Amino acid sequence: MADGSVSTPRHPGVSKVTVRGVGVAVGKLTGERPQQGVTPDSLLALHEAGYRAVLDRIGDGRILDVGCGHGFESARFLSPERQVFGADYSSEAVSVAAATYGPKGLRVAQMNALDLGFAEGSFDGACSSHLIEHFTNPEPHVAELARVIAPDGVVCILTPNKPADFENPFHLHLFERQELRAMLERHFDDVWLGGVDGAPHVKADLAARRIKGNKLLRFDVFDLRHKIPHRWYVWAYTRLLPLAYKLIAKEDAGGATGITADDWFVTDQLDDTTLVLFAVAKSPKSPKSHSASAA
C-alpha cells in the first residue's frame, strides 16, 4: 500500500493544524464529511478512489474542487501544470485546508456551491465529489459548474447511487442513474455516466456494516427520526454517530481492515448495487440554450 492512502495513518489527514499561529482542532465527526482515523476504511478508500478517477480525466490548467473540505483530496490535484482552487461553505474546513495545504499551493475560499464566486469559464476542470446529494435542489449546483467551466473543460461529479446508499440525514437528494444523466444533459452537451464500485470483499464489508447499522436503527421503533423536524434528526445523528462508530465500527477504521483505494474500480456496467455514480460532463451549454431546452 502506497504512502498517502487515506486508509493509512501516513495520510495527511490531521487532528490539529496551526492557523495564524494558533492550534485549531479539526471539527468533530458528524457524518457530513469523511475524517481520517474514524471514518471506516472502506468509505475513506471510496473517496480516494473517486479522486483518482477524476485525476485520470481532468487534465491540466486551472482546477476547481467544490466541497473541498479539509483539502486532503484537493491536494492530490497539485502539480506544476495545475493551479488548484478549493471551495467549501465551512469556515472551519477552509481554515484547515488553507493552513495545511496553502503552503503547497492550494488556494481555498469559503463560498456557496450554489452561487460560486468565480467568473464564467474560469476553470479547465472542476470536481464535485459527494456534494451534490447534500442539496434539496441540486440543479443550481450543476448550473454553476457549467457556468464556471471553460467551453473545452471537464466537470467530474461523484455521488452515491440511491439504491445502494446508507441512510444519512445529510444526504438530501439521492440520484438514480437516469435522473442524474437527465439533469446533467440539461447543462452539458457531452455526458458520460459510469460508476465507482468495490471489489466483492469491499461490498461484503459494507453489507456487514449496514446490518450493524440497521440493528441500531431498530431502536427507533416508532420511526421518529423521519417524523420529527429534519434539523432535530441531524442534531441527534451528529451526536450519536461517534458513539455508534465506537460500538460497532471501531475495528473498521485506521487501516485495520486493509481496504484501500486499490479495491475500487471505475465501471460503465451499472446496476442497483453499484455504490457510486461517476459522471464526466463536457461542452457546457449556454444559459440561453439551457432555458430554451427547459421550456
Side-chain angles (χ1 to χ4, degrees):
M1 179 166 49
D3 286 359
S5 165
V6 293
S7 299
T8 164
R10 292 189 295 272
H11 186 272
V14 292
S15 60
K16 180 176 283 191
V17 298
T18 300
V19 180
R20 296 180 182 176
V22 179
V24 177
V26 171
K28 66 180 181 180
L29 175 71
T30 64
E32 184 179 18
R33 64 178 82 243
Q35 279 192 219
Q36 174 70 17
V38 287
T39 299
D41 297 337
S42 54
L43 297 184
L44 286 170
L46 177 159
H47 282 265
E48 180 183 351
Y51 271 88
R52 284 186 183 181
V54 173
L55 192 59
D56 286 343
R57 292 160 175 81
I58 208 162
D60 297 329
R62 290 166 59 90
I63 307 300
L64 174 64
D65 188 17
V66 189
C68 66
H70 295 152
F72 59 86
E73 297 293 10
S74 310
R76 296 182 185 279
F77 296 130
L78 291 171
S79 78
E81 294 77 29
R82 299 190 188 97
Q83 292 177 288
V84 184
F85 299 78
D88 201 285
Y89 85 98
S90 166
S91 59
E92 176 268 331
V94 166
S95 295
V96 170
T100 310
Y101 300 104
K104 300 179 181 179
L106 179 65
R107 305 180 189 183
V108 191
Q110 182 182 6
M111 60 181 63
N112 184 353
L114 303 178
D115 186 19
L116 295 168
F118 298 108
E120 183 176 332
S122 297
F123 295 96
D124 302 293
C127 173
S128 173
S129 175
H130 294 270
L131 175 64
I132 194 171
E133 67 272 11
H134 290 252
F135 302 111
T136 53
N137 178 16
E139 189 141 8
H141 174 52
V142 174
E144 278 293 271
L145 292 172
R147 182 184 67 81
V148 303
I149 200 70
D152 59 349
V154 178
V155 171
C156 296
I157 295 175
L158 294 132
T159 189
N161 185 18
K162 181 177 180 178
D165 195 39
F166 284 79
E167 180 171 333
N168 184 327
F170 291 105
H171 292 180
L172 303 177
H173 189 119
L174 292 167
F175 286 89
E176 296 194 25
R177 303 184 291 282
Q178 292 309 313
E179 181 191 5
L180 180 60
R181 177 186 292 279
M183 188 177 69
L184 292 175
E185 288 178 344
R186 290 195 289 271
H187 298 272
F188 297 89
D189 285 324
D190 182 352
V191 175
W192 175 85
L193 182 64
V196 178
D197 212 359
H201 68 282
V202 175
K203 288 193 169 183
D205 174 85
L206 292 169
R209 289 198 300 105
R210 192 187 304 273
I211 291 171
K212 294 177 184 177
N214 287 339
K215 287 181 179 178
L216 290 180
L217 291 177
R218 291 192 192 120
F219 287 102
D220 181 18
V221 293
F222 298 109
D223 197 33
L224 292 177
R225 68 189 184 281
H226 295 135
K227 298 175 181 177
I228 59 177
H230 187 74
R231 66 181 183 278
W232 294 6
Y233 179 21
V234 171
W235 183 90
Y237 182 90
T238 58
R239 284 152 180 80
L240 292 174
L241 184 66
L243 175 61
Y245 272 11
K246 288 180 181 178
L247 291 175
I248 67 172
K250 62 182 179 181
E251 296 181 356
D252 296 338
T257 67
I259 294 174
T260 73
D262 294 335
D263 297 310
W264 295 80
F265 57 92
V266 175
T267 179
D268 57 5
Q269 302 298 313
L270 304 180
D271 59 32
D272 285 352
T273 70
T274 304
L275 294 165
V276 176
L277 301 178
F278 176 38
V280 179
K282 303 177 183 178
S283 302
K285 296 181 179 182
S286 68
K288 289 184 178 179
S289 66
H290 170 246
S291 298
S293 63

